[in-house]
Amino acid sequence: MRELFNQDRPMSPGLIRSGVQALGLLLAAAAFVVVFYSLWTIFSGHVIPGILQATAGLGLLLALYLIVRLLGEGVMALHRLNDRMTVLSNELAAQRTKGAEAEPAQATPTKKRRAAAKKASSTVTETETPADTDA
């Protein structure tokens, strides 16, 4: 997720937490309405439907709040992981450039094998045909 006005920066965990709390307040207001409506139904003489309305409404709102809160926690964990990975990649890049400056152009085993193969392929005699050599 990115900030609304600056798309280059990710959202801060505090901003995500504030959004979850605002949605929690909205769901609490909806729960108040559900409880008021179910009490109205109970006092109008319909006890069983009123109890069912209260339990279903509160259960649904609680489930929505828990889902949003868990998703918010997951986003914050992903942001922390992204920050750690960025720091780690910067440190590795700094070590790689520092190592490249300190040890200029050492011959690695791969480079040695390539040089030996190139030397061996250049020593092919004129009597051999390309089919006789191993490619």
Side-chain angles (χ1 to χ4, degrees):
M1 293 177 70
R2 300 289 177 180
E3 284 190 6
L4 184 61
F5 298 112
N6 188 358
Q7 293 293 315
D8 294 331
R9 290 186 354 193
M11 293 178 77
S12 67
L15 188 60
I16 295 171
R17 195 173 298 118
S18 297
V20 169
Q21 287 175 352
L23 186 64
L25 290 175
L26 182 67
L27 291 175
F32 177 74
V33 170
V34 166
V35 168
F36 181 73
Y37 185 70
S38 64
L39 286 176
W40 180 271
T41 306
I42 289 171
F43 288 130
S44 67
H46 307 287
V47 177
I48 302 296
I51 292 173
L52 288 176
Q53 284 175 356
T55 55
L58 292 176
L60 179 67
L61 292 172
L62 181 64
L64 284 174
Y65 176 73
L66 289 177
I67 289 170
V68 168
R69 183 170 172 144
L70 288 174
L71 288 174
E73 292 290 329
V75 167
M76 287 189 289
L78 286 174
H79 283 306
R80 285 192 297 268
L81 179 65
N82 187 22
D83 291 341
R84 290 178 185 158
M85 294 295 289
T86 302
V87 169
L88 183 62
S89 69
N90 290 340
E91 288 177 3
L92 288 175
Q95 287 179 358
R96 185 174 45 218
T97 57
K98 187 184 348 175
E101 292 171 358
E103 302 171 6
Q106 289 184 349
T108 61
T110 306
K111 289 181 181 177
K112 289 178 183 177
R113 277 185 267 141
R114 286 183 186 158
K118 192 174 190 180
K119 186 178 180 183
S121 67
S122 66
T123 59
V124 175
T125 62
E126 294 178 5
T127 58
E128 292 181 81
T129 61
D132 293 339
T133 60
D134 291 331

